[in-house]
Amino acid sequence: MFCNAYRYIEFAATNEFYLVAKSAGADYHRILRAIKHNYPRLKGLAGPGFAAGPCLVKDTMQLNAFARNQLGLGHAALLINEGLVLHVVEDLKRRYPLANMTVGLLGMAFKAESDDTRASLSYKFKNVLMAHARAVLTTDPFVTSDPDLLPLDQVLSKSDLLIVCAPHLAYRQANFLGKPVFDLWGHVEYDNAIR
């Protein structure tokens, strides 16, 4: 539990740094590259992303319960990591007329190269966006348990805006047809990527 709670807190720290940089108009991925350059102590600092899955959250909350709700960092990590989806949606609402757009979610698994959707924040994205966008389409090359998933080419062609939810390798060099792509991970090699 300590290991998973620590990892979840690590993700929360970098996600909070991302939010601070973004609110200041700075590029956190550029900052991250700079602070890791020739500084071995931060080589292991994770990049921002949607920290989820069944173990990180569960073990953090179980450790917090065992500690009689005294694991303040664990509680803060939950608020930051789970709240990241809401921050992203609010940011996208400021940038785009979501009510008139079809949004495509790329990757419904909770992590890259996996078919596991347990506690995936991609589904939280889908639920939140359904209240703001004209339509929400989803795709994932690994997940077979979700009958609503569409092939990647259909999601790319029918969407006005794309969001990389799970950084599968299949998305790294995909042809996004000139459409804007929100990529918190810094994963895709694409000039129109929004970070």
Side-chain angles (χ1 to χ4, degrees), residues 49-63:
F50 303 112
C55 295
L56 297 183
V57 176
K58 172 187 63 67
D59 287 353
T60 302
M61 293 304 96
Q62 284 185 337
L63 187 58

Side-chain angles (χ1 to χ4, degrees), residues 66-87:
F66 176 77
R68 296 188 176 111
N69 292 322
Q70 297 303 306
L71 184 65
L73 285 174
H75 183 68
L78 180 72
L79 294 175
I80 293 164
N81 291 332
E82 290 286 319
L84 189 58
V85 167
L86 302 175
H87 285 285

